[in-house]
């Protein structure tokens, strides 16, 4: 899973040497430089992709360079301003696309998206952050989102036949699970990504952009308040701290102690739980966050990556060929199975149906959303009035009053 740039360069060099086609020997191949993020894809996946892509595109050579997440924003912005020697394709976080579009540095890929890449089937939580107006700049690559990780044995002991299908049933079941020695659910008071899903389910949002074009905080709308009320009732069925998020303390450690029936997390967190408590290995199950009705799962925040092409690329055709391949069905299926990701299209969900946790994640991803697509949203998260708002409500403050205060802070930051 871990990847080093040197290892990839050696793999690429060996492949080219085997074909007798090292750079600079008059092959006529054009180099397409691709920036991918550390741990997004395994060394083996990238070796397979490089070999088959170069075999299918005899005029192109791939130069894949692995980047660190720390400091990547500034590095990408610099690359978008540079002419001639920068990357041709860049992997970016799905919620980061807006800031790069705002600077005018990305290529409009709407034509390819409509004509060739099947954009109507893309996961909304990846596609929407990459779309501005009617133009598509970010091309969905892979997704990950929260599910409910639960103790199958504790559900059975409480007389529950299986996971709940609706939010109301989820509350009822969690009440049955909640006892003097078991928390029905461990939900930290500032898990604002989970709150966002409940708000979206109710038809609200964290911030909205009315016709005037100015972003405004919207935690004080009736829909958003209903989402917060559901969060409050669910969070009360455990002893999660009201003034901390899911990493303080890390919820994997809390769950591993054996006295928690459920947590809301990405499926991969179960590995950390089992490492801490191997006795739980065969006792964990997964289900999508329930929705308001049984017709579909609840909305969830979708994390993941999009692929973008800098406007200053000198090889649009080569760059879009790489994007087409990485975002296409063959390599999406390979990546999903290799890395336990959700593929970028709802129509590819069956690629992971054999993995319980990833299948639950894929079901939820079909209802996925992302944070507001303002280029200044990162500044909101840095100060995060949503967390403060949640703590105040959970400790007894008036929800409407605190929602108005938090919304005003969001509006000031976004304006």
């Amino acid at each position: 899973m871990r990847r080093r740039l040197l290892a990839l360069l050696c793999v690429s060099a060996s492949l080219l040497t085997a074909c007798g086609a090292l750079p600079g020997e008059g092959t006529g191949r054009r180099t397409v430089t691709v920036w991918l993020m550390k741990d997004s894809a395994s060394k083996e996946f990238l070796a397979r992709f490089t070999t088959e892509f170069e075999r299918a595109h005899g005029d192109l050579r791939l130069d894949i360079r692995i980047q660190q997440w720390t400091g990547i924003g500034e590095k990408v912005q610099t690359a978008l301003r540079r002419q001639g020697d920068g990357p041709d394709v860049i992997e970016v976080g799905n919620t980061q696309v807006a800031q790069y579009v705002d600077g005018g540095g990305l290529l409009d890929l709407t034509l390819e998206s409509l004509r060739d890449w099947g954009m109507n089937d893309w996961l909304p939580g990846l596609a929407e952050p990459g779309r501005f107006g009617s133009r598509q700049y970010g091309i969905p690559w892979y997704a990950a989102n929260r599910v409910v990780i639960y103790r199958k044995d504790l559900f059975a002991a409480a007389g529950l036949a299986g996971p709940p299908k609706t939010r109301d049933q989820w509350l009822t079941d969690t009440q049955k699970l909640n006892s003097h020695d078991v928390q029905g659910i461990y939900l930290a008071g500032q898990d604002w990504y989970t709150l966002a899903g409940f708000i979206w389910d109710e038809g609200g949002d964290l911030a909205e952009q009315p016709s005037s074009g100015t972003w405004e905080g919207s935690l004080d709308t009736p829909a958003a308040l209903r989402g917060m009320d559901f969060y409050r009732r669910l969070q009360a069925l455990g002893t999660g701290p009201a003034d901390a998020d899911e990493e303080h303390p890390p919820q994997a450690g809390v769950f591993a102690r054996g006295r928690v029936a459920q947590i809301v997390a990405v499926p991969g967190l179960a590995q950390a739980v089992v490492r801490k408590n191997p006795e739980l290995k065969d006792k964990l199950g997964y289900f999508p966050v329930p929705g308001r009705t049984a017709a579909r799962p609840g909305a969830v925040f979708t994390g993941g990556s999009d692929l973008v092409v800098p406007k200053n690329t000198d090889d649009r055709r080569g760059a879009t060929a790489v994007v087409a391949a990485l975002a296409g069905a063959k390599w999406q299926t390979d990546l999903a199975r290799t890395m336990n990701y959700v593929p970028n299209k709802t129509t590819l969900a069956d690629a992971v149906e054999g993995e319980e946790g990833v299948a639950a994640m894929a079901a939820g991803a079909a209802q996925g959303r992302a944070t507001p697509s303002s280029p200044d949203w990162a500044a909101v998260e840095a100060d995060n009035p949503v967390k403060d708002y949640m703590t105040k409500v959970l400790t007894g403050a008036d929800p409407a009053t605190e929602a108005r205060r938090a919304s005003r802070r969001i509006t000031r930051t976004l304006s």
Side-chain angles (χ1 to χ4, degrees), residues 117-174:
W117 297 342
M119 65 183 300
N120 291 334
D121 295 325
W122 284 341
L123 296 177
L126 295 180
E128 290 173 2
R131 183 180 307 132
F132 295 86
S134 60
R135 298 182 178 183
Q136 192 75 39
Y137 296 91
I139 307 306
W141 192 27
Y142 67 83
N145 51 266
R146 288 162 175 75
V147 302
V148 183
I149 306 176
Y150 74 104
R151 287 277 302 274
K152 294 180 179 180
D153 56 328
L154 295 181
F155 268 56
L160 302 175
K165 300 296 185 182
T166 68
R167 283 193 350 199
D168 286 344
Q169 188 62 50
W170 192 18
L171 277 178
T172 300
D173 290 354
T174 304

Side-chain angles (χ1 to χ4, degrees), residues 52 364 375 395:
E52 295 201 23
T395 53

Side-chain angles (χ1 to χ4, degrees), residues 310-333:
K311 187 179 292 185
N312 60 13
T313 179
D314 57 3
D315 192 352
R316 174 174 180 146
R317 190 182 67 80
T320 55
V322 172
V323 173
L326 285 172
K330 172 182 171 58
W331 293 106
Q332 279 293 297
T333 299

